[in-house]
Amino acid sequence: MKTIRFTALSILFGLVVLVSACKKEATPAVATQSGSKILVTGQDAGTGLKSTLSGQTTVWVATSDRVGIYSAEARTLGGSSPIVNAEFKAESSLTSSAFSALLADMIWGTANTAHTFYAYYPYTAGSAANTVVPVSLASAQTQSAAGSSAHIGALDFMVATPITVTSPATPGMVGSDINLRYNHLFTILEFQIIGSGTLKAVKLVGTNNPVTFSGGTIDITQTTPATDVAYTIASQTGATTQAIVTLTSAATLDATTATTVYMVINPGAQTGTCLIGLSDGTTWTYISNAAPTGGFLRGRKYDVSINNAWTAQLKDRDNNNFGIVTIGMQTWMAENLKTTKYNDGTAIPNITNNTDWGLLGTGAYCDYNNTSLNSDTYGRLYNWFTVDNNASTKVASNGGKNICPTGWHVPTYAEWTTLTYYLGGQNLAGYKLKETGTTHWTTPNTGATNETGFTALPGGYRFIGDGAFYYILTNGFWWSSTAFSTSNAWNMYVSNSDNYFYSGDRAKQYGISVRCLRD
C-alpha cells in the first residue's frame, strides 16, 4: 500500500559576498574618487551557508554562481554612474564564499550619505531597473542523478532584504560592512521514493495555483514579506499547475533505501488533492494526496515520502503497462488502451482493409494508418462492438467479453458525465484533461494544463464510410459503453483548438480510442 507524507522544514540560506578578492581587506586602499571599496557580506540567521536542506548542504559554485547588485548612491571605481545590476561571481566552491566584481569594484559615493543596496540570485544579464528583474520557474526541471541537488541553485531565486547604511566620513576608512540577508522566492520538495522498478521522472500536479511559470518580473526593492508569505511577482506568464523533474540517469528503486529527487515549485495554497506522478520513462503511475495544510509556503522544504510506488501499475493482456490516476471518486487509466486481446486472452481481429472496416458488426481494432508506431503513443483504435457491455447486445458484438483488465471496464456515458461535472462542466474539463505542450498535439492545444493527470492525447479516429483515418494530433475521442441508438453510441472528445470536453454520438463502426475505469 502506498503512503505519502508531506513534512515541512525551514530552508536555511546564507550568502557571503565580498566585493574585492577572496580575503576581506582590513584597510582598503583609498579610491581615486570619493569613498573607498565597499565590503559586502551576506548571510541568513548567521549560518554563513548558501543552503542547508535537511542536513544536505548546497555549496556555492566558483565562477558560475553569480549575484546582481543595485545601488543608486554607490559607484564603480573610476566611474560616475549608479550601480545597476552589477555582476559578482563566487570565488570558492564552499558553503561560504567571497564574491568579486566582474567589471569594476564598487565604491562609496558621497561621504556621510545614506546608501541603499538591493541584490538577488541568480544573476540575469541586462541593465533593467531593480523594479523589473526577470524571474521564471521552469516546469521541466532536470536532475543529474538520484540524490543530487545541484540543479536547485539555478532554480531557487533569492532576494536580499533591502538595506540602507551611511557611507564612511573619511576616505580610506571602512564603515560598517553591507550585510545582505537573502530570502527564498520559492519552495523545495524532496521526494523520498521507496519501491521497485526504474525511476526516470517525478511529476507534481497541483489543483489551482500555478506551480511553475515561464516568465515574470520581481521588484527587489519591495518590502520583504513576513516569514512564509510569498513575494509579489508581476507580469507572470505561462503559468501551469504542474512541474516535472527528469533524471538524466535513470535510478533503480530500492525496497528499503529511498531514492531522492528534488523539485522547486512556486509557493501557494493548493486546495483538494495533488497528484504525484512517477515514470520509468514510458509509463506514468499517479498517486493522489492532499497538499499540506495551508499550502506550500515560501522558504520551506517539504519531504514527500512515497512507499511501494510501482505497485499501482496496471497491465493489459499484452503485458502493456498503464499508469493510473484518481480523479474525484473515480480511478482511470492515464493512457489510451493498446491491447490486442480481450481480458480472457481471446484475440481481437485486426482489420486493415478500409472497406471491410466499415461493414463490421462485431469487435475489431486497428492501428492509426495501420502503423503500429502510432499505437505506441496514442493507443489503438477500436470499434464500438469491442466495448459493448449491454446485456441485450454484447454477446453478438464481442461474445460478452471485456476489453479492459480484470477489475476494470469501459465507462458508461453516465460515468463520463460524472467526470465532466467533477471538473466543472464541459467548458472547463477539456483543458484539465489534455496533455500540455505540442509534442503530441498540434498547436495551439488551447488551455491545456493536464492538472488531473489524465493526459488526454489526440489519437484521431477511423471513419465508417471509407475506412480512412482522420484527426490524429488535433482531436482525441473515447468510446462509452452506452448505445445511443441501434446504429450509434455515445462518445467523448477534445480538440486542440478549445477547452471543451464534448459528448456526442457516432456510428458504432467508427474506430476510436478507449480508456478503462476501475470497477
Side-chain angles (χ1 to χ4, degrees), residues 181-198:
R181 293 182 176 271
Y182 282 77
N183 306 286
H184 287 288
L185 204 60
F186 301 132
T187 301
I188 294 174
L189 305 185
E190 180 183 302
F191 296 93
Q192 301 164 350
I193 305 163
I194 292 176
S196 60
T198 300

Side-chain angles (χ1 to χ4, degrees), residues 14-34:
L15 178 62
V16 176
V17 185
L18 296 182
V19 189
S20 56
C22 293
K23 280 190 175 182
K24 180 177 179 180
E25 296 180 19
T27 307
V30 177
T32 56
Q33 62 185 61
S34 64

Side-chain angles (χ1 to χ4, degrees), residues 38-327:
I38 302 173
L39 302 182
V40 183
T41 61
Q43 58 187 5
D44 180 3
T47 62
L49 305 180
K50 179 186 178 188
S51 173
T52 301
L53 300 172
S54 188
Q56 179 177 352
T57 300
T58 302
V59 300
W60 291 106
V61 179
T63 303
S64 62
D65 263 352
R66 302 184 179 189
V67 300
I69 297 179
Y70 291 81
S71 176
E73 299 80 18
R75 298 291 182 264
T76 55
L77 185 61
S80 59
S81 300
I83 299 299
V84 177
N85 203 22
E87 184 179 6
F88 292 82
K89 66 178 180 180
E91 292 291 332
S92 307
S93 294
L94 301 170
T95 57
S96 178
S97 174
F99 275 66
S100 58
L102 264 70
L103 298 178
D105 291 321
M106 186 163 59
I107 65 170
W108 297 105
T110 306
N112 287 323
T113 302
H115 287 52
T116 302
F117 296 88
Y118 311 100
Y120 69 98
Y121 168 87
Y123 173 80
T124 300
S127 58
N130 50 8
T131 56
V132 288
V133 173
V135 63
S136 64
L137 180 58
S139 59
Q141 302 174 18
T142 303
Q143 184 170 315
S144 59
S148 173
S149 62
H151 64 298
I152 291 176
L155 294 169
D156 188 35
F157 200 98
M158 294 190 289
V159 177
T161 301
I163 185 171
T164 300
V165 297
T166 301
S167 60
T170 306
M173 299 297 293
V174 180
S176 299
D177 290 345
I178 307 306
N179 188 12
L180 298 173
R181 293 182 176 271
Y182 282 77
N183 306 286
H184 287 288
L185 204 60
F186 301 132
T187 301
I188 294 174
L189 305 185
E190 180 183 302
F191 296 93
Q192 301 164 350
I193 305 163
I194 292 176
S196 60
T198 300
L199 180 70
K200 182 66 175 177
V202 177
K203 178 191 298 185
L204 173 75
V205 182
T207 53
N208 52 326
N209 284 328
V211 172
T212 59
F213 58 99
S214 60
T217 63
I218 182 168
D219 178 357
I220 63 173
T221 70
Q222 68 181 273
T223 302
T224 302
T227 301
D228 297 336
V229 176
Y231 277 82
T232 298
I233 299 174
S235 305
Q236 195 174 107
T237 60
T240 176
T241 55
Q242 71 173 19
I244 301 175
V245 177
T246 301
L247 300 177
T248 56
S249 300
T252 300
L253 295 178
D254 187 89
T256 56
T257 303
T259 296
T260 303
V261 177
Y262 293 100
M263 177 184 291
V264 180
I265 65 169
N266 207 22
Q270 301 294 338
T271 58
T273 300
C274 290
L275 291 175
I276 311 296
L278 305 169
S279 176
D280 59 4
T282 57
T283 301
W284 283 99
T285 297
Y286 288 93
I287 304 160
S288 59
N289 195 72
T293 301
F296 295 103
L297 304 177
R298 177 184 63 82
R300 298 287 187 108
K301 181 176 77 72
Y302 293 81
D303 291 339
V304 187
S305 299
I306 304 175
N307 298 329
N308 302 320
W310 246 229
T311 60
Q313 277 193 328
L314 180 67
K315 293 180 182 291
D316 64 17
R317 284 294 301 200
D318 289 333
N319 212 34
N320 295 308
N321 289 315
F322 295 90
I324 64 175
V325 58
T326 298
I327 307 173

